Amino acid sequence: MSSPANTTISGLARSLAASSILDSAQLEQACARAVQEAKPLSTVLVETRLLSSEELARFCEREFGLPLVSLDDFDTEEVPSQYLSMDLIERHYAIPVHLRGKVLYLAMSDPTNVAALEDFGFRFNLVTDTLLVEESKLQQLLSSLQQNTGTGLDLDNIADDDIAGLELGEDPSERDDEPGGQEDDAPIVRYINKIMLDAVRREASDLHFEPYETFFRIRFRIDGILHEVASPPVNLASRFAARLKVMARLDIAERRLPQDGRIKLKLTRSKSVDMRVNTLPTMWGEKIVIRILDSSAARLDIEQLGYSEVQKALYLNALNRPQGMILVTGPTGSGKTVSLYTGLSILNKVSANISTAEDPIEINLPGINQVQINPKAGLSFSHALRAFLRQDPDIIMVGEIRDLETAEIAVKAAQTGHLVLSTLHTNSAAETLTRLSNMGLPAYNIASSVSLIIAQRLARKLCTHCREPEQMSAEQLQALGFTPAQQAEGITLYRAVGCAQCTDGYKGRTGIYEVLAMSERLSSLIMNDAGSLALARAAEEDGMMTLRQSALAKARLGIISLSEVNRVTG
């Protein structure tokens, strides 16, 4: 029997080639990636946006004469559990959804996947048949099955013995006689693994391991706020540091200088989480901070980011322009990277050559040329930008504009037919324009290159299970910034309470945005060296919602609390 990957690729690929729905180069590239990643061609086609899920399903419906069915019509719980074999399901991307007599029906997005029919039929001694479904719907059902059967991220059901057996992406040549690898350090190993899994389960963004003179604490950053989760004995601090450094392939003997490394935590055969590790020598030992880079948890969907309809339209309009500069600003941890990646995912098409310079690369985006900045080797943002301009680019993303040289190259690219996306550390959209001027950019370059500025923050969302209405008087509402017209429409505000399903009354985060689109009026003010206050006033008169106004709008909808409005916008 030929391998599933080869069988899947050859059948569907021949039909696609004969139909000319894709050119040969695109199809060949997709087939090569399918083999490399051991995925069905149908999955790769949708992931790389060569075809949408619906386009692929309609093509297969016409080509193979199979009706397209909806998975909503089936309940997998009616299928005996012994047929829901996750090793076959994950190998073939085929899911048993219906059993009629001796016929087992498999939901598949690729009807040429004969190997799936054969393997399921052989294992269960049944006749198998195909039900054609959309790839996106199939992936949703697959994720749901993985959660429910424990092969995905059902971390609440992982026992200590299971945690000890999880594979960590370490160097297989790690010696048993190294610190952190000794047999008597097994409890430390299990404890750290459990802490890491707990951080993933609770959707933490960072883990802090902090030694002090008389105590040692571990904290998680959840929804932007640090919470203490454990306080192991202080005499174990050095062993924790040694184990984490071994996992990150760092020099365990170097305790005087900061170090950077990475850990890959493999949760299942198909699911892993990357972690960025940084060590810092302190008075009482090495503090270690781990940033969780879980790209699968990042929602690169503009509908999920929290833009208002007007703000979303402005962002999409700027992305659809052939040239210009889009700047996303805000402090560290305000979600700038996700906003940029969302824009790039929208632009990521076969017809576009996209290159990014990042430090670090936090989310892998197939189809985009991502470059890791390496200052020690001489590869800075400005060096990467110069190289991009010799690579026939359409779209360029610069992780951050830090100096005049980088700013000048980015402006030149935006003025010469390229779309440029980047970030800056400023407090508001208007201040970004004066910051560029203070860097040394001429006013006419700023006015002619910048097309959109997004200032943003992240606010914690109220838990919908335990939030409670908060009574406010008309005077209090007016002082907060609610107009009499808004009060006349009725305003119900909520406060955080706290329950078993959230953290201190909050669960998840949403974006608060200030979206400034360049206009002739703003360009004229820039050319006249107007300050940030004048620019902000003009933008508001043109209809821009400030960060405060955006936050209050979300408070009116019951998404965030007033305390979050004040915390985020001051």
Side-chain angles (χ1 to χ4, degrees), residues 207-221 226-238 240-241 280-289:
L207 295 79
H208 292 240
F209 295 82
E210 303 170 306
Y212 295 93
E213 182 180 11
T214 59
F215 67 96
F216 176 53
R217 72 181 178 188
I218 301 173
R219 294 191 291 174
F220 291 172
R221 187 176 293 278
L226 282 169
H227 301 268
E228 184 171 334
V229 296
S231 184
V234 67
N235 63 312
L236 295 179
S238 61
F240 271 82
L280 179 69
T282 69
M283 181 180 292
W284 306 109
E286 289 181 283
K287 173 177 178 176
I288 297 181
V289 176

Side-chain angles (χ1 to χ4, degrees), residues 445-507:
N445 276 343
I446 299 172
S448 62
S449 60
V450 176
S451 54
L452 189 78
I453 301 173
I454 301 172
Q456 68 178 73
R457 303 290 188 274
L458 287 177
R460 294 178 294 172
K461 295 168 65 176
L462 283 164
C463 173
T464 55
H465 294 92
C466 64
R467 66 180 185 179
E468 289 183 354
E470 186 172 8
Q471 301 300 322
M472 305 286 291
S473 67
E475 291 77 13
Q476 288 174 313
L477 291 173
Q478 178 117 14
L480 287 168
F482 292 107
T483 65
Q486 290 173 331
Q487 294 184 47
E489 295 174 2
I491 296 176
T492 302
L493 303 175
Y494 294 87
R495 65 182 181 88
V497 178
C499 67
Q501 301 188 45
C502 64
T503 303
D504 299 334
Y506 298 96
K507 187 172 180 63

Side-chain angles (χ1 to χ4, degrees), residues 357-406:
E358 306 173 56
D359 186 22
I361 298 173
E362 295 194 16
I363 301 175
N364 177 36
L365 294 176
I368 292 178
N369 309 291
Q370 296 174 270
V371 175
Q372 170 67 55
I373 294 304
N374 186 354
K376 292 181 179 179
L379 181 58
S380 62
F381 283 115
S382 57
H383 282 87
L385 263 177
R386 286 197 189 90
F388 290 167
L389 293 175
R390 294 191 290 270
Q391 290 266 316
D392 184 31
D394 297 301
I395 300 156
I396 295 171
M397 193 271 272
V398 188
E400 182 183 349
I401 294 179
R402 298 175 178 172
D403 51 53
L404 177 60
E405 184 181 15
T406 305

Side-chain angles (χ1 to χ4, degrees), residues 1 79 82-97 104-108 113-129:
M1 182 187 300
V79 179
Q82 66 265 29
Y83 300 135
L84 295 175
S85 176
M86 291 307 298
D87 64 320
L88 289 180
I89 290 172
E90 292 181 337
R91 187 191 314 164
H92 294 293
Y93 287 66
I95 303 175
V97 293
L104 184 64
Y105 289 89
L106 305 179
M108 297 190 291
N113 191 353
V114 180
L117 299 173
E118 291 177 347
D119 283 3
F120 274 94
F122 179 78
R123 177 171 295 188
F124 302 116
N125 194 27
L126 292 171
V127 178
T128 53
D129 204 350

Side-chain angles (χ1 to χ4, degrees), residues 19-139:
S19 69
S20 300
I21 192 171
L22 296 173
D23 64 47
S24 57
Q26 292 174 329
L27 188 56
E28 185 175 338
Q29 185 179 14
C31 289
R33 178 174 168 180
V35 172
Q36 181 181 5
E37 299 184 5
K39 291 181 178 179
L41 178 60
S42 55
T43 301
V44 172
L45 291 171
V46 174
E47 284 183 349
T48 56
R49 300 176 183 266
L50 290 173
L51 291 174
S52 70
S53 184
E54 184 178 0
E55 287 172 340
L56 178 62
R58 295 301 178 190
F59 169 78
C60 292
E61 186 180 34
R62 294 191 306 269
E63 185 72 16
F64 303 109
L66 290 173
L68 180 63
V69 300
S70 172
L71 284 175
D72 296 335
D73 298 333
F74 301 94
D75 184 1
T76 54
E77 293 184 2
E78 295 180 358
V79 179
S81 58
Q82 66 265 29
Y83 300 135
L84 295 175
S85 176
M86 291 307 298
D87 64 320
L88 289 180
I89 290 172
E90 292 181 337
R91 187 191 314 164
H92 294 293
Y93 287 66
I95 303 175
V97 293
H98 186 58
L99 180 65
R100 181 188 298 167
K102 285 289 186 179
V103 181
L104 184 64
Y105 289 89
L106 305 179
M108 297 190 291
S109 59
D110 177 9
T112 68
N113 191 353
V114 180
L117 299 173
E118 291 177 347
D119 283 3
F120 274 94
F122 179 78
R123 177 171 295 188
F124 302 116
N125 194 27
L126 292 171
V127 178
T128 53
D129 204 350
T130 301
L131 291 175
L132 178 62
V133 299
E134 285 192 32
E135 169 69 22
S136 60
K137 304 295 184 184
L138 187 69
Q139 290 296 332

Side-chain angles (χ1 to χ4, degrees), residues 169-183:
E170 305 169 24
D171 189 342
S173 63
E174 178 189 323
R175 302 193 316 270
D176 289 338
D177 59 347
E178 287 182 323
Q182 299 174 359
E183 185 177 349

